[in-house]
Amino acid sequence: MGMIAHSVLFKLKYDGDTPYEKKFLQAAHRLARIPGVQNLHCYRQTNKKNRFDFGIAMEFASQEAYEIYNKHPQHIDFIKEFWIPRVQEFLEIDYEPIAPIDL
């Protein structure tokens, strides 16, 4: 297995620009400090075609690096302190690139 692209789309339990939103996004950006996390970005939805307001995307060089991230204490603390109490609903997507196909 090669590179893993990990994305989570989510809606917070509160609407609008609040101090809770700012703290949540600051904590999400700090996940980039975890060894193995590459290209972490947080996004705000601009097209209302779905119910999610935000996204977090990151990459890992391998499935092993992704598994290390999932078990890392900083990630576990983020889930307990920020994700569980503040996220209303989410969709998690993990991708592995497909090699180009000649047509």
Side-chain angles (χ1 to χ4, degrees), residues 56-71:
I56 301 171
M58 61 189 82
E59 297 175 350
F60 299 91
S62 66
Q63 182 68 36
E64 180 182 50
Y66 177 59
E67 290 170 13
I68 290 169
Y69 161 81
N70 270 326
K71 296 175 185 173

Side-chain angles (χ1 to χ4, degrees), residues 38-82:
Q38 301 172 356
N39 302 318
L40 184 140
H41 298 282
C42 293
Y43 298 98
R44 183 182 306 276
Q45 173 68 265
T46 60
N47 183 336
K48 296 298 180 182
K49 288 184 180 179
N50 68 60
R51 63 188 177 273
F52 303 109
D53 296 322
F54 297 95
I56 301 171
M58 61 189 82
E59 297 175 350
F60 299 91
S62 66
Q63 182 68 36
E64 180 182 50
Y66 177 59
E67 290 170 13
I68 290 169
Y69 161 81
N70 270 326
K71 296 175 185 173
H72 193 278
Q74 186 179 343
H75 177 249
I76 292 169
D77 288 346
F78 173 79
I79 297 300
K80 288 179 183 175
E81 184 177 341
F82 292 95

